[in-house]
């Protein structure tokens, strides 16, 4: 299992400082959607420069203009780019085609996507499908149970990620479960008093 650390809702300068600290310490560094919206594609380039050892995910949440947005994100240095599962099948196909051509990866965000829609978009074997519990939702999120339920409903989808308030205990349970490929952690690392200590604890949990 890989650890993806998300940086969100900070200045670009602070994001670069934190990215430097986390380079080589986390498997994937996520440039969160707020950074994409606040600073654009040129910021991808700046983060790429300080991440020689860590993959860079651009959380663009593409829902239209798929080929263009993916081409630009990869051009500026992204390794993985996100598209919304709510997008049309044609948009997702366009994103996937660009990712395949560039030998990069598409992650499909399944935020609020129905089982019926998932059945329509399970066409992309090399994509990572991300179960995502919105930060805005107030209900409890049992990550391991959600993963187990998803695998039973959609066994054909092999590459899975999960995001949504994942703490250290949930990361340990997910690692023991052995289904998820990528666990996504945001504020528990990025906003921790000691991000390096936090990332080391999470890496120890996911790489058991």
């Amino acid at each position: 299992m890989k650890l993806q650390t998300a940086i969100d809702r900070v200045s670009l300068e602070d994001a670069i400082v934190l990215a430097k600290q986390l380079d080589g310490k986390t498997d994937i560094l996520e440039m969160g959607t707020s950074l994409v919206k606040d600073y654009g594609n040129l910021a991808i380039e700046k983060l790429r420069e300080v991440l020689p050892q860590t993959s860079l995910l651009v959380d663009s949440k593409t829902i239209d203009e798929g080929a263009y947005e993916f081409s630009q994100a990869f051009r500026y240095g992204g390794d993985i780019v996100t598209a919304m599962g709510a997008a049309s099948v044609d948009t997702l196909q366009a994103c996937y085609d660009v990712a395949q051509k560039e030998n990069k990866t598409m992650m499909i965000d399944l935020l609020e996507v129905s089982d019926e829609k998932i059945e329509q978009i399970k066409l992309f074997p090399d994509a990572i499908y991300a179960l995502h519990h919105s930060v805005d939702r107030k209900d409890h999120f049992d990550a391991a149970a959600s993963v187990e339920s998803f695998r039973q409903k959609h066994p054909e989808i092999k590459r899975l990620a999960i995001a949504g308030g994942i703490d250290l205990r949930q990361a340990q349970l997910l690692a023991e479960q052995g289904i998820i490929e990528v666990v996504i952690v945001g504020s528990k690392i990025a906003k921790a008093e000691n991000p390096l200590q936090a990332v080391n604890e999470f890496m120890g949990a996911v790489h058991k």
Side-chain angles (χ1 to χ4, degrees), residues 87-98:
S88 70
V89 175
D90 287 342
T91 292
L92 292 174
Q93 185 68 59
C95 294
Y96 187 71
D97 289 345
V98 172

Side-chain angles (χ1 to χ4, degrees), residues 12-60:
L12 180 57
E13 292 75 18
D14 288 346
I16 290 169
V17 169
L18 186 54
K20 283 182 179 177
Q21 289 182 311
L22 295 177
D23 182 46
K25 308 294 186 185
T26 184
D27 299 301
I28 302 166
L29 193 287
E30 174 186 328
M31 177 181 174
T33 309
S34 64
L35 289 171
V36 176
K37 290 187 175 183
D38 287 344
Y39 301 104
N41 286 328
L42 293 175
I44 303 173
E45 203 168 45
K46 293 183 180 297
L47 286 173
R48 174 79 281 160
E49 288 172 358
V50 300
L51 292 169
Q53 302 177 71
T54 290
S55 296
L56 176 60
L57 179 140
V58 179
D59 192 15
S60 64

Side-chain angles (χ1 to χ4, degrees), residues 1-22:
M1 192 163 79
K2 292 180 179 179
L3 175 64
Q4 177 174 315
T5 302
I7 300 179
D8 248 318
R9 297 177 296 280
V10 297
S11 69
L12 180 57
E13 292 75 18
D14 288 346
I16 290 169
V17 169
L18 186 54
K20 283 182 179 177
Q21 289 182 311
L22 295 177

Side-chain angles (χ1 to χ4, degrees), residues 41-157:
N41 286 328
L42 293 175
I44 303 173
E45 203 168 45
K46 293 183 180 297
L47 286 173
R48 174 79 281 160
E49 288 172 358
V50 300
L51 292 169
Q53 302 177 71
T54 290
S55 296
L56 176 60
L57 179 140
V58 179
D59 192 15
S60 64
K61 290 187 167 69
T62 292
I63 199 162
D64 193 15
E65 296 282 349
Y68 181 78
E69 290 195 2
F70 265 53
S71 294
Q72 290 292 90
F74 291 137
R75 171 190 169 196
Y76 283 95
D79 298 300
I80 308 165
V81 182
T82 65
M84 298 305 292
S88 70
V89 175
D90 287 342
T91 292
L92 292 174
Q93 185 68 59
C95 294
Y96 187 71
D97 289 345
V98 172
Q100 293 292 96
K101 178 184 175 185
E102 299 293 336
N103 198 28
K104 300 292 181 79
T105 302
M106 171 170 78
M107 181 178 283
I108 301 174
D109 188 327
L110 298 177
L111 185 67
E112 299 296 325
V113 175
S114 67
D115 287 331
E116 290 77 17
K117 182 62 183 290
I118 292 169
E119 285 297 307
Q120 296 172 23
I121 63 172
K122 60 181 184 183
L123 314 166
F124 312 109
D126 292 329
I128 300 171
Y129 291 74
L131 310 183
H132 188 176
H133 190 76
S134 169
V135 69
D136 295 329
R137 287 182 59 165
K138 307 301 182 189
D139 53 323
H140 174 69
F141 182 48
D142 186 328
S146 296
V147 170
E148 179 62 36
S149 174
F150 186 92
R151 176 48 54 89
Q152 289 180 3
K153 291 177 184 174
H154 311 287
E156 312 89 343
I157 298 176

